[in-house]
Amino acid sequence: MIATQSRQGLELLEELSRTGDGKPPLGCMQCGLCAASCPLGDAMEFPPRKLILEAMARGLDRVLASPSLWMCVGCYTCSLRCPRDIELTDRLWPALRDRSMQAGFQPPAELQETFQNVLKYGNVLGKSPRQRLDWAKDLDVRVLDLSKEPRPVEVLWLVGCYPSYYPRNRVVTRAFARILTELGVSWGVLGAKEKAVGECDRMFGEEGLFETLVEENRKLLAQQDFERIVTLDPHAFRALQNFYPRYGVWYPVEHYTTFLAGRLEKLRALVVRPVEATVTYHDNCCVGRRAGCFEPPRALLQLIPGLKLVEMERNRENALCCGGGGGGMWLDGHIVAQGGKRLSDQRILQAAQTGADILAVSCPYELSRFEDAAKVAGLESRLKVRDIIELLAESMDLGERSDS
Amino acid sequence: MSGSDILVLAEVHRGTLADITFELLAAARGLVGGSGGEVVALVLSENGAAFAPALGAADRILLVDHSALANYAPEPFLAALAEVVTARSPRAVLIGATSIGWDLAPLLAARLDAPLALGCKAISAEDSALAVTASFCGGKMVAELRIDRAPAVLMVLPGSFRAAEAAGKAQVEPCTLSASLEPAAIRFEEFLLPEAGDVDITQQDILVAVGRGIQQKENIELAEQLAQVLGGAVCASRPVVDQGWLPTTRQVGKSGMTVRPKLYLAFGISGAPEHQEGMKNSELIVAVNTDPRAPIFDIAHYGAQVDALELLPALVEAIGARKG
Amino acid sequence: MNIGVVLRQVPDLIEPLEVDASGTALDLSAATFVVNETDDHALEQALLLKESGGGTVTVVALDFGEVDNTLYTAAAKGADRILKLAWDESQSPTPHRAAAALAEALRTLAPDLVLVGVQAHDELDGALAPLLAARLGWPYVGVIRGVKQAAEGGSVVVCKEFPGAVMARLVVRLPAVLGILGAEQPPRYVPVSRIRAAMKSTRFEEAAHAAGTGPAGIAVTHMAPPPAGARAEMIAGSDTEVAQRIVEILAQKGLLK
């Protein structure tokens, strides 16, 4: 019964490869909504519509060899708008990338390195697994390492690679630990045993790597006793909710915004300090556009006294992706070489246009992407980038903040 | 030559004596000490007399001249070296850890069944034995070795000894070999020189160096920005060049360029010996690496354990603020 | 051209290395292993030669240091045969010990060309590549970046890397051993699914050859990480604070225009 991504991807590919029978593959009407919606469509040799057209006319050879295959950042805009509901982002692109690598084409070098890192060390950054819990050093709340002390908990917090290792993200991670504790939630982490969930590997087409991670995580999770998984990473949330179950690995999982929004009244009593700032919120793609979860993050922000929420013109399902998904964190060089732009550079200007003091985010990639973009645009003194968690922690009077 | 002589392979590359030769002569001098042994330099070339005047730091200079030695190829060089060592029985043979040395030192040791130490940084004589300090595991481990068989073949890391000054006049001794140096299975054809036109990093006062920690080709732009505000140039360690992110003319290290700028800023470079070799004599070295154990911190004057990708733009900003 | 490639596993330097109880050797019990980088380049170079000129690529390796993954990866990349030599796991495969067994296997294999990485970071008192050449009685040259078939039959053209981006082009008559520094392109990526497929379909050939001994006359008396010694003055603080301090230092030294 295990329907793997590859089987369905293969079905899509096979349909795509069929030519000459008069029927457009996948039910595609060639309307072009996908290409027009794609934030990088202009720079792609084969945006989705053209890709399907090419398959109809000539087959997949040129597509598999094309560098534009490695430009999709997994924003789901095309998939959401496709009138035929073709699963472009989740199925077609990963299957094509997989097929391309199987045929011997080399993915961009930076991606290769992330694959090697995940395979060897269980994290995309190539850091030692032993240092995975270093973010918790000298933390003023107790971090329960379930890999050493297995105990029943309400929440198994899958911390994630960037939140564990990346300096800027560690501030957020520590703040979340404090918030969970303050809320009286019983929680634990997997410590040095935690492995990447693998969502980005699946998106890059490294299906074999994804399946390897599913198996490793299956074993890890089976050893633990918990009610739900909570993650800071919308990408991990998406994989755990939508793809792991296809391998028989199913657990209730929430992104932190829904988890905390489910405890709104408790939080209301705890947000004592005002944060006097105008804040605009950037909807991330996996929890936002894809899962339709737009109100919980806003509810959290509006809880904070003194905080004024303003909207960017492109918000909710029309938000412009930051460019970090689908491998995007490692594809900026490749995308720029193909004539594309860093999407975070565009998005930061949209945020600045609102007149906001703070751009609030809820995805680990967005912190560094938007802070970089703010520097590039010369905005960093005017527009700060903060995770919702940092703003909540500040309002709850819970410890250190980032200094940037 | 007697059992307490030290033989130094004087390395000739494209018509000049390589700098390592003088470091080896200094190391050899430290070994012969008061033992009565000689520091003997061996020149393998087509016309060694031309190099003799520069080798005054040796006590004796052996010249082996042969047309087969005009340009380096392993077999004639090994045959000549082995014959001289067998005939003269030195206590040790010092060879530089260079492209040529990486062939000849282990080949010689295998040919003579002699003990070999790679990565030597310090050598001293201890009664009848030699005590050697050797670096390995990318500079993360140091081994003390004791060698009590002669000849010992020691491959010495450049930069481990200060170049010897010429002392007095060395005795020049032309040598003829009985071994035939031809024919050989490996034949030198020609040198391939890099294309001109790119920046010559050996002439820069300020270098901004990037290593693996730069993570993506795109981030090199950050280093370029810093180089620009400082009036310097960007260079790189081998992994960055291997990826094709910068041309080989920007490579610093054993298999790249040796630089001695006034300022060397190293971002995301771990500082393995091969890289250190190329820049350790820089006047001021500032290293940035998130790994506190990175060997680069052993030779840097200042260090910071922060993310290079964060610090590069912060530096550009701080310099801009100071000027503006 | 039939090519033999030697792959070695070396301790991963991502973790700090430890010294064993004797104080004279690495403690490998806690180490994780990865394929030696220049050996990986040797494999890539061999595959490139096979792709351009035909022939076979045979990988030879000692059964040590979690080598199976490396071997399956080599098979997935296109190696035709994998020869795994039995090895006493308690004996660290120093170059002298390893060379004897590997040379025997290579002698039996009788390829035209043997490619090995020019060095491994755990080599201290021997270098495997030239030792293999000496045992086989074949010519050797190392620090090679790029190998091509020569126009004259039975030879290859190699580039030996020198400082300053200079290369020496040499013609090598086969059979020979080459110490590879780098292949003409970075080692290729092969998707995990292919490695897993190789795990199911590849059969390793197995053999056993005696390990070597020695070298004589040299012994480790002490081993440790380098002394902290004269280290850099570390600047602490946030990125902005560090940047400001560095700018102050540069200004003091007259390095800011």
Side-chain angles (χ1 to χ4, degrees), chain A residues 98 101-104 106-107 112 115-116 119-121 126-131 206-209 211-212 215 403, chain C residues 12 14-16 18 30-34 69 185-196 238-241:
Chain A
D98 180 29
M101 286 195 284
Q102 299 288 349
Q106 297 286 289
Q112 289 182 31
F115 297 153
Q116 316 273 25
L119 198 56
K120 272 201 283 203
Y121 306 117
K127 302 279 190 193
S128 160
R130 285 195 227 170
Q131 292 166 4
E206 243 297 4
E207 194 199 320
L209 182 52
E211 288 180 359
T212 305
E215 284 316 304
D403 73 350
Chain C
D12 193 347
I14 199 186
E15 307 284 1
E18 312 212 332
T32 46
F33 291 88
V34 291
N69 240 316
Q185 67 190 37
R188 66 195 57 191
Y189 183 74
V190 61
V192 169
S193 51
R194 281 247 275 234
I195 301 174
R196 280 158 48 131
S238 66
D239 302 321
T240 337
E241 287 163 353

Side-chain angles (χ1 to χ4, degrees), chain C residues 92-180:
Chain C
S92 78
T94 61
H96 283 82
R97 289 186 201 140
L102 290 165
E104 263 324 292
L106 288 167
R107 202 190 311 277
T108 315
L109 190 67
D112 303 300
L113 177 63
V114 171
L115 300 183
V116 197
V118 67
Q119 62 159 154
H121 57 241
D122 58 351
E123 286 177 329
L124 187 57
D125 59 9
L128 182 67
L131 271 175
L132 285 175
R135 281 185 170 267
L136 289 169
W138 288 2
Y140 171 80
V141 65
V143 197
I144 299 301
R145 191 183 284 284
V147 182
K148 284 187 156 50
Q149 292 229 333
E152 50 190 273
S155 297
V156 288
V157 180
V158 306
C159 282
K160 183 174 168 66
E161 200 174 275
F162 279 90
V166 170
M167 305 278 224
R169 194 170 63 215
L170 302 150
V171 179
V172 179
R173 212 173 53 233
L174 306 178
V177 177
L178 298 176
I180 299 296

Side-chain angles (χ1 to χ4, degrees), chain B residues 58-315:
Chain B
D59 299 313
R60 180 178 302 274
I61 305 171
L62 301 181
L63 301 180
V64 175
D65 292 344
H66 196 294
S67 57
L69 300 172
N71 286 294
Y72 172 74
E75 291 153 297
F77 275 71
L78 177 64
L81 179 57
E83 187 176 321
V84 168
V85 173
T86 306
R88 307 276 176 148
S89 306
R91 187 180 193 185
V93 182
L94 304 190
I95 298 177
T98 61
S99 186
I100 290 175
W102 267 102
D103 287 351
L104 291 182
L107 284 174
L108 178 70
R111 171 75 61 97
L112 303 180
D113 192 23
L116 167 73
L118 304 171
C120 299
K121 292 178 73 106
I123 318 167
S124 59
E126 246 173 45
D127 321 306
S128 55
L130 289 176
V132 175
T133 304
S135 163
F136 69 132
C137 292
K140 294 192 172 180
M141 213 30 107
V142 172
E144 305 293 337
L145 302 160
R146 186 181 158 87
I147 305 178
D148 53 20
R149 249 175 83 155
V153 179
L154 306 178
M155 199 176 75
V156 179
L157 288 179
S160 302
F161 296 89
R162 187 180 255 130
E165 305 281 335
K169 261 190 129 234
Q171 183 115 358
V172 178
E173 192 186 313
C175 302
T176 37
L177 301 175
S178 56
S180 155
L181 298 187
E182 282 156 327
I186 302 178
R187 187 175 86 231
F188 171 86
E189 286 218 315
E190 63 170 342
F191 281 110
L192 305 168
L193 305 182
E195 282 158 27
D198 190 23
V199 167
D200 184 353
I201 55 174
T202 61
Q203 301 302 310
Q204 297 287 320
D205 277 342
I206 295 181
L207 287 174
V208 176
V210 295
R212 258 191 239 268
I214 207 75
Q215 287 175 35
Q216 296 185 50
K217 178 177 180 170
E218 206 223 11
N219 293 328
I220 293 180
E221 201 196 295
L222 298 172
E224 297 277 8
Q225 283 168 18
L226 181 60
Q228 199 174 55
V229 299
L230 286 171
V234 172
C235 63
S237 60
R238 188 179 57 82
V240 169
V241 172
D242 276 355
Q243 291 274 40
W245 296 350
L246 281 171
T248 49
T249 42
R250 302 292 186 118
Q251 185 175 327
V252 171
K254 178 177 112 179
S255 53
M257 312 282 185
T258 299
V259 296
R260 281 193 176 104
K262 295 202 167 87
L263 172 63
Y264 191 89
L265 291 156
F267 291 92
I269 294 181
S270 71
E274 293 78 19
H275 184 76
Q276 286 194 15
E277 222 180 281
M279 43 64 70
K280 67 188 316 164
N281 292 318
S282 308
E283 278 177 45
L284 177 63
I285 303 170
V286 180
V288 177
N289 198 303
T290 51
D291 178 3
R293 293 183 310 260
I296 191 90
F297 291 125
D298 292 333
I299 56 163
H301 301 96
Y302 293 94
Q305 196 192 328
V306 292
D307 186 346
L309 299 178
E310 298 292 324
L311 191 61
L312 277 163
L315 274 168

